[in-house]
Amino acid sequence: MKTLHYLCGIKLYRNIDIYNMNREKLTEKPILTALRELEIGESVTVPAERGSYLKSACSQFGFEWGKKFTTTNNREERTVTATRIA
């Protein structure tokens, strides 16, 4: 049981380190503001915890604004990136 706790602790600390390393890449703006300001070919990246909201916003507001977005998940960095394609 001690081995399991040790391994879980290592994984937790690794994920915290990865999150902190990538924090500067993540958007500081509200998601809707960031999406609205994107030009074609530009991207916005958010933590995985906000990924479902980002995907929903891309679908709903992209339709309302007449813009198209694509999203990709990065499991290693635990981020979701939306890119404006039209």
Side-chain angles (χ1 to χ4, degrees):
M1 195 67 169
K2 288 182 182 182
T3 303
L4 178 62
H5 290 291
Y6 176 75
L7 293 175
C8 289
I10 290 173
K11 184 168 180 135
L12 175 66
Y13 286 118
R14 183 176 177 275
N15 286 341
I16 290 171
D17 288 340
I18 289 171
Y19 177 77
N20 288 333
M21 285 185 328
N22 294 312
R23 179 179 276 166
E24 57 274 356
K25 292 183 190 177
L26 305 179
T27 183
E28 298 296 326
K29 295 180 183 180
I31 290 175
L32 287 181
T33 302
L35 286 176
R36 191 178 302 117
E37 293 176 354
L38 287 181
E39 297 295 327
I40 295 174
E42 292 182 336
S43 300
V44 62
T45 301
V46 299
E49 294 79 14
R50 301 290 294 157
S52 61
Y53 178 72
L54 177 65
K55 290 178 181 187
S56 176
C58 286
S59 176
Q60 183 61 38
F61 291 102
F63 170 70
E64 289 182 19
W65 299 333
K67 300 177 180 180
K68 292 184 181 180
F69 300 93
T70 185
T71 60
T72 56
N73 298 328
N74 186 327
R75 290 183 181 273
E76 288 181 9
E77 295 180 2
R78 297 194 38 73
T79 60
V80 179
T81 301
T83 304
R84 183 172 170 201
I85 57 174

